[in-house]
Amino acid sequence: MTEPGVIKHMDSTEITPQQLAAIHKYTRRPLEAEELYVFKVNLCDNEVDRDGERFTIQSLYRLADLFVGKTGIFDHNPKGDNQTARIFEAQVVADPGRITSAGETYHCLCAWAYMVRSQKNADLILEIDGGIKKEVSVSCAVSQRICSICGANRLTQPCSHQPGADYETPTGTQKCHILLEEPTDAYEWSFVAIPAQPQAGVTKAHLPIFGEEAQAGEVLKAIRQGETSLSQTQAAVLCRYLDGLEELAKAGENYLETLRKEYVRLSGAALPSLEGEVARQICEKMTVAQLEHCNRAMEEASQRRKPVSLQLGGDWEESSSDGNRNFKI
Ligand SMILES: [Zn+2]
């Protein structure tokens, strides 16, 4: 870990030769300072956020490396060609006068981004200069989510502690929070409109992560090909992927149970002498598609049987001799 830098006070219209050189790594031709707009964004810090999570100082340093070169988008127009900015420099800045709620010196990950000035982004630049656009959300992947109370990595070892709740520890009462450690990738950052985010600060998207499904696919492929050792990151990716599948499986199971209950109810109405328990046993063996099909068919049949009574709300009786229906209203 290197020492934190000093806070730079920078006018967005002034671009230093060092900054220009850093930007030129990303441009096809060396652009003049007048063609560029440079601004500073605070990406994230080590304060506990409203989700009860925080980056460790070490994570901020790692993210500083990962975010250089990453593009940012503006929430109202993510596809706008001229509405993107790229980070060309990032630095962790410490504020010794400020202590976080977790008792650490406040550290912030500051980044400098550039945009190529154009007519289309003139308004946007004005908004950034005017401080209207200043809250940023970041999207990144971390391989460790550590419980501050028991030290468990909750990605692989869930614990019962709830972020935000107080717990008695040998060193006194502590509020549980999650430490986000070992960032493995940074995906993007974006400006969020202040009115939509009244609680100023960082909104992050650690999980689920863009591209993680593809990563998990690669890990699975390697395992199928006989790979038996996984790196910590690969294992974490796989665990998150499995957690996601588990959640989906639960939702699927709930849906199946709803279909089975519906099957028992509808078959009871269609065939009153059929025992509920038997209907239940029949549908246990049916697939989702078969259940959906049967339920739909029984529903339609029951609609056909009593159309008028449903429309008029009257009692009805069926003539046993000729099949004609007589209605009493
Ligand atoms: Zn815990």
Side-chain angles (χ1 to χ4, degrees), residues 35-49:
E35 296 176 275
L36 295 162
Y37 172 70
V38 166
F39 59 100
K40 186 181 138 189
V41 284
N42 294 338
L43 291 177
C44 47
D45 55 29
N46 62 332
E47 185 55 272
V48 178
D49 65 20

Side-chain angles (χ1 to χ4, degrees), residues 244-259:
L245 288 184
E246 203 167 70
E247 215 165 281
L248 271 179
K250 268 184 213 151
E253 190 56 47
N254 288 344
Y255 178 57
L256 196 57
E257 186 52 32
T258 306
L259 286 176

Side-chain angles (χ1 to χ4, degrees), residues 34 37 47 53 90 140 143 153 289 299:
E34 298 78 51
Y37 172 70
E47 185 55 272
E53 298 178 332
C140 63
S143 65
N153 176 12
E299 187 73 59

